[in-house]
Amino acid sequence: MKENTNKSIAINSIILNIRLVIVSVCGLLYTRFSLQALGVTDYGLFSVIACIISFSSIINTIMVVTSNRFIAMAIGKGNTEEACRTFNVNLVIHLLIAMLTLVVALPIGHWYISNYVNYSGDMANVYVVFDISVAASAVSFVGVPYNGLLMSRERFFVFCAADVVASVVKLVVTYLMIYHFEHKLLVYALVNAFMTAFPTVVFFVYCSKYFKDIVRFCFVREIRKYVEVLKFSAAVGYGAVALLLQTQGGALIINMFFNTAMNAGLAVANAVNNILQTFANNVQKPISPQIVKNYATGNMPRCTYLVCLASKATYLSMFMVSIPFLIIPESLLKLWLSDIPPYAECFTRLLIIDTLIFSINAGINDFVFATGRVKQYQLIVNSLVILSVIVGYFVIRHYMKAETLFYVYIAFSFIVFLVRPFILVRISHFDIRRLVYDSYIPVLMVTALFMPIFLTRSFMHPIACVAVAYLYFAVLVYFVALKKKERSWIVAAVLERFRRSL
């Protein structure tokens, strides 16, 4: 299969990281410009409205994973007709979700706004902003199957380009809003709606041109097909809800026993951790559809190799981007923020450690989704995630130390790390020994050998300390984490680049 090459994984990873850098920089800037243009009151209002419709992001996350899995399976089998039917099943489901969103969200949102939203300005603007946001979310639901098709076909450049264009447009308009436009709140709502809906238009046009055989409309009458997709999405949804409960539950517990200043520290830590995690996940994203397609074709050796590669690469990528925040978080936070909230440094380190442990098994998720036997896996793993919040509540209630909550999270992440392979054996014939030797042992050795670097903080300048850490980490990855074949491939790629530059 032409797509199943290590070169395509590397190219797609580069594309995703370029997109992430641009979108992240735009995000930091247009947050600042938005606050300047709108003021605290209107910006806070928009944040409240965003919370009201935040369910859409959860549904999108669930359904993108679902669409990607089913479409990739059909494409992996080389059956265009089946791929078309699968696409249309997902499209009909998402059209219904979009209509349901309009029917349910609009009246509930209007009721919530009229009863609970306190706003000193014109309340009519609040309803208009909410309606625009809900409509944009509905349009984004329709684009999910197209997004899944692009991921399955590994056309990462298309949705990366759409995200970059939308982010740049929002950045330019929010900057202009500081000095222009009379109805700034409405303009801001329209810009955010554009960012939400624009990718759907791009996906539709591109897929209609290049994947006509798959996206042509045909109504599938088999109820079984729809039930299969919905059952899978329900299992995936349990995982999304569990992670949301852990994140939001942590914030609520901290607020319950401490104060909002400490919540600010947690918000900073979450912001840092989310950016780092997104960078790391960009390494896994190009590998995910290939795992599904190789499983669909029965190419288990390649599938196993990709699972091990995804797990190892995601962990090492997360470790790599986290190094400065693990070694000198105080220096970085001072550079970014004028006033560092309480516990921001401590929370940042602990959240990163928790994410690192959770990421060691990154490739297992994709393999389990490929098998379709997700119920037992999702139930056990995500019940442990939810249990960590419950245990964390009682532990912090007893010890009254904020950081103990995240020690509990780390302990449960380690339990999940140990449990996942055993569940994998129960639902499939996956070669666990290969995972241990090709993924677990290399990353744990790199981690153990890297530990002495933390001692250099006491006698080296922060910049020099980070520079030495990255150099040492690169040596460890090359000689400890990579296999001989992977080292040869990297050397050949570098030499080829050097040869072309001459």
Side-chain angles (χ1 to χ4, degrees):
M1 191 180 297
K2 186 179 179 180
E3 292 173 323
N4 287 349
T5 63
N6 292 337
K7 184 178 180 181
S8 69
I9 292 173
I11 291 171
N12 287 327
S13 296
I14 292 170
I15 292 171
L16 287 164
N17 281 307
I18 292 172
R19 166 251 190 182
L20 181 60
V21 170
I22 297 172
V23 171
S24 297
V25 171
C26 287
L28 292 171
L29 291 174
Y30 65 61
T31 298
R32 176 178 175 177
F33 295 155
S34 300
L35 192 55
Q36 283 182 262
L38 296 175
V40 175
T41 301
D42 281 357
Y43 188 75
L45 170 68
F46 199 87
S47 299
V48 171
I49 291 174
C51 288
I52 297 173
I53 61 171
S54 61
F55 71 93
S56 64
S57 63
I58 302 173
I59 297 174
N60 260 340
T61 301
I62 296 166
M63 298 312 294
V64 165
V65 172
T66 302
S67 295
N68 182 29
R69 186 264 174 187
F70 281 93
I71 295 171
M73 285 289 289
I75 291 173
K77 293 175 182 177
N79 189 335
T80 303
E81 185 61 32
E82 180 61 25
C84 177
R85 288 164 57 82
T86 302
F87 174 84
N88 277 280
V89 166
N90 281 274
L91 181 61
V92 169
I93 289 173
H94 286 86
L95 285 169
L96 292 173
I97 290 174
M99 289 187 286
L100 189 64
T101 298
L102 295 174
V103 171
V104 174
L106 287 176
I108 292 177
H110 281 219
W111 169 81
Y112 183 88
I113 290 169
S114 64
N115 287 279
Y116 297 103
V117 173
N118 296 314
Y119 179 57
S120 57
D122 186 356
M123 286 299 294
N125 289 338
V126 181
Y127 292 105
V128 173
V129 170
F130 176 76
D131 292 347
I132 291 172
S133 302
V134 171
S137 295
V139 173
S140 72
F141 289 141
V142 180
V144 168
Y146 295 94
N147 190 354
L149 175 58
L150 290 171
M151 290 186 68
S152 301
R153 283 294 194 182
E154 298 176 51
R155 300 294 196 271
F156 291 91
F157 176 79
V158 180
F159 61 79
C160 286
D163 279 352
V164 167
V165 170
S167 295
V168 171
V169 169
K170 183 176 179 181
L171 176 62
V172 172
V173 175
T174 49
Y175 178 74
L176 292 175
M177 280 172 54
I178 299 174
Y179 309 103
H180 305 282
F181 301 114
E182 183 178 352
H183 303 289
K184 297 182 187 294
L185 182 61
L186 296 179
V187 172
Y188 189 70
L190 288 170
V191 172
N192 277 276
F194 168 80
M195 277 196 70
T196 304
F198 174 71
T200 295
V201 177
V202 174
F203 301 161
F204 174 79
V205 172
Y206 185 90
C207 292
S208 297
K209 182 176 181 180
Y210 294 100
F211 305 125
K212 294 179 182 178
D213 292 342
I214 296 178
V215 301
R216 61 182 174 81
F217 184 75
C218 66
F219 184 69
V220 180
R221 300 179 184 277
E222 300 173 60
I223 301 298
R224 177 181 56 83
K225 294 280 187 182
Y226 298 93
V227 172
E228 187 180 1
V229 172
L230 291 172
K231 284 174 65 177
F232 184 90
S233 62
V236 175
Y238 182 58
V241 170
L243 291 176
L244 183 70
L245 283 175
Q246 188 182 56
T247 305
Q248 300 302 323
L252 291 174
I253 291 171
I254 293 295
N255 183 255
M256 187 182 301
F257 291 100
F258 302 98
N259 52 44
T260 53
M262 204 166 286
N263 274 99
L266 179 57
V268 168
N270 275 321
V272 171
N273 188 54
N274 288 340
I275 292 173
L276 299 180
Q277 194 172 6
T278 304
F279 269 99
N281 288 342
N282 274 350
V283 176
Q284 179 190 356
K285 195 171 287 185
I287 306 174
S288 298
Q290 294 194 19
I291 291 174
V292 177
K293 285 186 279 188
N294 278 279
Y295 181 85
T297 57
N299 188 354
M300 284 305 297
R302 173 71 179 173
C303 188
T304 303
Y305 166 75
L306 289 171
V307 170
C308 298
L309 177 65
S311 299
K312 181 169 68 175
T314 302
Y315 177 86
L316 292 175
S317 299
M318 181 68 193
F319 201 126
M320 180 185 71
V321 296
S322 302
I323 285 173
F325 289 96
L326 290 171
I327 295 177
I328 53 166
E330 59 285 344
S331 300
L332 294 175
L333 292 177
K334 283 179 184 176
L335 187 65
W336 180 30
L337 306 168
S338 55
D339 296 317
I340 303 176
Y343 277 76
E345 298 168 23
C346 175
F347 289 162
T348 298
R349 276 201 180 103
L350 293 175
L351 280 176
I352 289 173
I353 293 170
D354 180 53
T355 304
L356 278 169
I357 296 171
F358 211 81
S359 68
I360 298 178
N361 283 323
I364 291 181
N365 269 359
D366 297 314
F367 181 82
V368 173
F369 290 165
T371 66
R373 302 177 65 184
V374 298
K375 185 176 179 180
Q376 183 183 25
Y377 176 83
Q378 290 287 88
L379 184 63
I380 295 174
V381 169
N382 293 298
S383 293
L384 286 170
V385 172
I386 294 173
L387 186 60
S388 71
V389 181
I390 299 171
V391 173
Y393 167 80
F394 286 105
V395 170
I396 206 169
R397 183 179 179 180
H398 180 71
Y399 289 101
M400 288 301 292
K401 291 185 178 180
E403 63 269 31
T404 56
L405 174 66
F406 301 99
Y407 290 135
V408 172
Y409 281 7
I410 290 170
F412 271 87
S413 290
F414 187 74
I415 293 171
V416 170
F417 162 68
L418 296 175
V419 166
R420 274 177 168 177
F422 289 101
I423 306 172
L424 193 60
V425 171
R426 285 179 60 88
I427 64 176
S428 71
H429 299 290
F430 190 85
D431 188 355
I432 293 297
R433 291 180 62 186
R434 179 94 178 267
L435 183 65
V436 171
Y437 285 110
D438 289 358
S439 180
Y440 292 170
I441 292 177
V443 301
L444 292 176
M445 286 180 64
V446 167
T447 304
L449 293 171
F450 186 84
M451 289 298 107
I453 284 293
F454 289 100
L455 300 175
T456 63
R457 290 182 300 173
S458 58
F459 59 86
M460 290 181 67
H461 188 276
I463 295 177
C465 186
V466 171
V468 170
Y470 270 114
L471 180 62
Y472 183 52
F473 181 76
V475 171
L476 289 177
V477 169
Y478 186 80
F479 289 103
V480 178
L482 298 181
K483 299 166 67 175
K484 184 178 180 180
K485 185 187 294 185
E486 292 166 343
R487 289 198 294 268
S488 300
W489 185 84
I490 290 174
V491 170
V494 171
L495 290 176
E496 180 63 24
R497 289 278 180 183
F498 180 73
R499 202 177 297 116
R500 288 181 182 179
S501 64
L502 294 178

